[in-house]
Amino acid sequence: MLNSLVNALISGIILAGLYAVMSMGLTLIYGVGRIFNFAHGFFILWGGYLVWFCSVKYEMHYGLAALLVISCAFLSGYLIDRVLLYPLRRRENFAINSVLATLGLAILMEGSGDVIFGTRIKTIDKIVDGTLIWGQFGITYHDIVSLGITIAVLLALEAFLRRSVLGTAMRAISQDTDGAKIVGINVDALYSFTFGLSASLAAVSGILIAPRYFIASFVGWETLFKAIIIVIFGGLGSVRGTFISALILGMLEAFVSMYLGMFWVQPMWFILLIVVLFVRPMGLYGEWA
Amino acid sequence: MLKVNNINTFYGQFQALHNVSFKIKDGELAVFLGSNGHGKSTLLKTICGLLSPFSGQIEFNGHLINKLKIHNIVKLGIVYVPEEGHLFPELTVKENLLMGAYNRRARKDRYRNEQLVYSIFTRLEERKHQLASTLSGGERQMLAMGRGLMASATLMAIDEPSMGLAPILKKSVFKKIKQINDEEGLTIILVEQEVEASLDISDKAFVLREGKIVLSEDSSKICIETIQKHYLV
């Protein structure tokens, strides 16, 4: 009884960390640039694809491959904003156009992933093999490493947003875009930077998640839906809300799959989401836009 | 330092400014008067780069700025203090001020400028760790001007700073503007509705009517009656 409770708690914390990193990019780019990025799930998936490509196909060192993929993700995020979204921002109906553009990008990334990497389901090795067993409790080394990385990434992100000039400028844009322009912030450059940051956060989570499951193109949509539920639950655009919501939903998933079975995880997520949206339509920490 | 030459600005089909031209020298305090909706704010927004003029030139210290983006205009030393404040509500007073020093030239002076702002607006120092959304109307106006001061600019364009303030606060706002002009040597363009108070502190006055400058004169030579005449629609 006790050991299954503790095991559920541990796996809940690990899932929460993964979910937080997974959805943080989505909420960040919405908060700063008011873009709902439907390609976010495929940024996560492509993180997995590319690490598989580098480490399995080309036998590159795992850590090196991860660093390479994360910097590639930043660069492509930056360029995607510059090429795809910057021109749309100069026109009317940006809210709708950006949804169409990112949805198109998602479909493009789904299809091209199949073409480039093949449709076979891929797996990659865990970062570290083995399981730490302590009495009746077990936790894989991979999960320990991934928990450490997610905590470090979230703390670094928090420090960046709170303490650095650039991070404060990102918060400033999300609160008053005209005010940000007036003080001399180059908002277009910062939108692109935020998109790059969002893509690299997606890549980090993709790299950590891929060894736990498998890599296939349909995973992109599933991941996107999970991330959408997490950010809507927490309040779109709120970093703190997303963190809390990832914690709650990660725990919920761990406990539900432990006591009711995997099948009940998604229904429970939706039930909780509906209840929360019924009471607080803007989500836990959301504001009305 | 600022030369505006024949600018025309549109909102869609509607022309808000018609061939506006004027010059402002270093260290001057110029005020633009006129009824609501006659183009005063549009003029400031056009100078500061929030709107771009359809035609005409704006020259600032020898640079043509009418085609520049707003962050580059700020870099050259023009700062805009908007009517609505456009403060960052969920940032603290201090963070709001530091954002005012975002441009590279101002960033190295930010601690000195912060102290300067606190010495002019003492209330802001007491409130520096509070969120901007918790400030009163008067304090917000102080913060908006303080944030403008942080930019190390040489020209400050202030849009209706006395708007919606109690009479006693209005008086203190005008005093602070004069102080910034005198002691810090900033050139100031002020847009106002308070005719008497702004004529008192300014060197030069312009009246805008239907997007045209209908009167430009030294403030000391203008009597209220001439201005009132231009207010009649």
Side-chain angles (χ1 to χ4, degrees):
Chain A
M1 182 59 207
L2 180 73
N3 63 347
S4 67
L5 192 78
V6 173
N7 274 330
L9 209 65
I10 290 170
S11 78
I13 290 172
I14 287 157
L15 277 175
L18 287 174
Y19 286 161
V21 177
M22 189 171 110
S23 43
M24 210 50 94
L26 190 62
T27 214
L28 211 56
I29 192 61
Y30 184 83
V32 176
R34 290 289 177 274
I35 298 164
F36 200 93
N37 179 15
F38 277 89
H40 193 74
F42 288 92
F43 285 8
I44 298 169
L45 175 66
W46 272 65
Y49 267 147
L50 289 174
V51 158
W52 171 81
F53 191 72
C54 294
S55 69
V56 176
K57 273 239 153 168
Y58 282 89
E59 295 176 354
M60 206 184 265
H61 181 267
Y62 199 95
L64 193 69
L67 278 182
L68 190 72
V69 170
I70 291 164
S71 17
C72 273
F74 181 85
L75 209 65
S76 16
Y78 192 96
L79 287 177
I80 285 168
D81 185 78
R82 203 75 200 149
V83 175
L84 189 66
L85 296 162
Y86 174 80
L88 294 179
R89 219 171 265 131
R90 327 262 108 208
R91 299 170 193 218
E92 284 167 35
N93 298 326
F94 179 69
I96 303 232
N97 286 339
S98 64
V99 165
L100 291 177
T102 57
L103 204 53
L105 182 66
I107 294 166
L108 180 74
M109 287 174 83
E110 180 189 21
S112 57
D114 274 342
V115 171
I116 297 169
F117 305 107
T119 51
R120 268 209 348 245
I121 288 177
K122 298 159 196 57
T123 53
I124 42 180
D125 291 342
K126 297 204 153 57
I127 298 173
V128 193
D129 276 330
T131 307
L132 177 73
I133 295 170
W134 188 59
Q136 287 167 308
F137 313 124
I139 175 171
T140 63
Y141 286 120
H142 175 86
D143 283 346
I144 296 175
V145 172
S146 102
L147 182 64
I149 293 174
T150 54
I151 289 174
V153 166
L154 292 173
L155 285 178
L157 184 69
E158 171 76 9
F160 170 73
L161 289 175
R162 295 274 146 208
R163 304 250 173 266
S164 75
V165 175
L166 213 56
T168 312
M170 277 165 62
R171 287 190 290 144
I173 294 181
S174 77
Q175 291 168 24
D176 195 316
T177 312
D178 278 334
K181 286 182 191 165
I182 287 163
V183 298
I185 296 171
N186 183 351
V187 287
D188 287 318
L190 222 51
Y191 286 145
S192 302
F193 174 83
T194 310
F195 212 100
L197 188 63
S198 162
S200 38
L201 285 168
V204 170
S205 72
I207 292 165
L208 295 177
I209 293 170
R212 292 173 58 106
Y213 305 102
F214 50 83
I215 308 166
S217 59
F218 63 86
V219 174
W221 295 113
E222 273 180 23
T223 322
L224 174 69
F225 291 136
K226 276 197 168 179
I228 288 177
I229 294 175
I230 293 167
V231 296
I232 290 179
F233 184 83
L236 251 182
S238 163
V239 170
R240 187 179 302 161
T242 300
F243 177 74
I244 303 283
S245 125
L247 198 63
I248 294 173
L249 292 175
M251 283 295 174
L252 187 71
E253 174 164 343
F255 278 90
V256 167
S257 61
M258 178 77 75
Y259 292 107
L260 298 177
M262 265 312 265
F263 176 79
W264 287 99
V265 170
Q266 293 239 320
M268 283 299 177
W269 273 36
F270 276 108
I271 290 169
L272 192 64
L273 180 69
I274 289 166
V275 170
V276 164
L277 291 189
F278 200 73
V279 184
R280 274 184 71 83
M282 66 290 257
L284 292 177
Y285 281 81
E287 287 164 26
W288 290 111
Chain B
M1 65 168 348
L2 182 75
K3 242 193 297 187
V4 173
N5 193 9
N6 274 321
I7 54 168
N8 292 287
T9 301
F10 288 81
Y11 286 111
Q13 294 288 312
F14 172 72
Q15 184 164 11
L17 293 178
H18 296 264
N19 290 322
V20 171
S21 305
F22 62 91
K23 270 184 214 167
I24 290 171
K25 290 196 217 88
D26 262 330
E28 267 183 337
L29 200 167
V31 61
F32 282 84
L33 300 163
S35 309
N36 274 331
H38 284 245
K40 305 187 305 290
S41 294
T42 309
L43 178 63
L44 283 199
K45 285 181 185 164
T46 308
I47 293 170
C48 300
L50 272 177
L51 295 170
S52 49
F54 172 75
S55 64
Q57 287 99 38
I58 305 172
E59 201 184 306
F60 178 67
N61 286 342
H63 302 274
L64 267 185
I65 60 167
N66 46 295
K67 291 216 167 68
L68 291 183
K69 285 199 179 164
I70 181 159
H71 60 269
N72 289 323
I73 295 180
V74 175
K75 251 184 233 165
L76 286 175
I78 299 183
V79 69
Y80 176 50
V81 179
E83 185 186 339
E84 309 86 6
H86 283 295
L87 301 171
F88 308 118
E90 302 299 313
L91 298 189
T92 63
V93 167
K94 191 185 161 97
E95 284 173 324
N96 265 282
L97 290 177
L98 291 184
M99 279 294 105
Y102 188 84
N103 76 77
R104 203 167 294 149
R105 199 170 34 79
R107 215 178 277 186
K108 60 179 190 300
D109 294 333
R110 66 179 186 270
Y111 297 112
R112 214 187 55 213
N113 282 340
E114 194 189 345
Q115 291 314 314
L116 171 74
V117 170
Y118 293 150
S119 71
I120 298 176
F121 305 109
T122 41
R123 278 300 271 283
L124 293 183
E125 182 155 29
E126 296 163 27
R127 302 256 185 272
K128 70 178 170 187
H129 297 300
Q130 265 176 247
L131 295 184
S133 57
T134 64
L135 298 182
S136 70
E139 288 163 350
R140 277 176 212 209
Q141 187 56 51
M142 305 278 161
L143 181 54
M145 290 203 290
R147 194 180 67 179
L149 273 177
M150 293 294 291
S152 289
T154 46
L155 174 70
M156 189 187 253
I158 314 177
D159 200 351
E160 294 208 31
S162 73
M163 180 82 156
L165 297 183
I168 186 150
L169 283 173
K170 284 188 185 180
K171 231 173 143 180
S172 108
V173 163
F174 283 115
K175 236 172 77 189
K176 301 291 184 195
I177 292 173
K178 185 71 186 151
Q179 185 186 351
I180 292 168
N181 176 241
D182 282 345
E183 290 171 18
E184 308 309 322
L186 257 76
T187 311
I188 290 178
I189 306 180
L190 182 64
V191 155
E192 254 308 331
Q193 298 275 15
E194 296 283 320
V195 177
E196 264 178 83
S198 44
L199 284 180
D200 275 349
I201 61 164
S202 60
D203 306 310
K204 229 185 212 174
F206 301 88
V207 177
L208 272 173
R209 186 170 174 178
E210 291 173 353
K212 299 181 187 97
I213 292 185
V214 291
L215 180 76
S216 70
E217 189 71 80
D218 285 350
S219 299
S220 51
K221 292 182 191 151
I222 295 183
C223 60
I224 303 280
E225 285 73 30
T226 32
I227 290 193
Q228 274 169 349
K229 209 174 65 201
H230 290 290
Y231 266 75
L232 300 174
V233 180

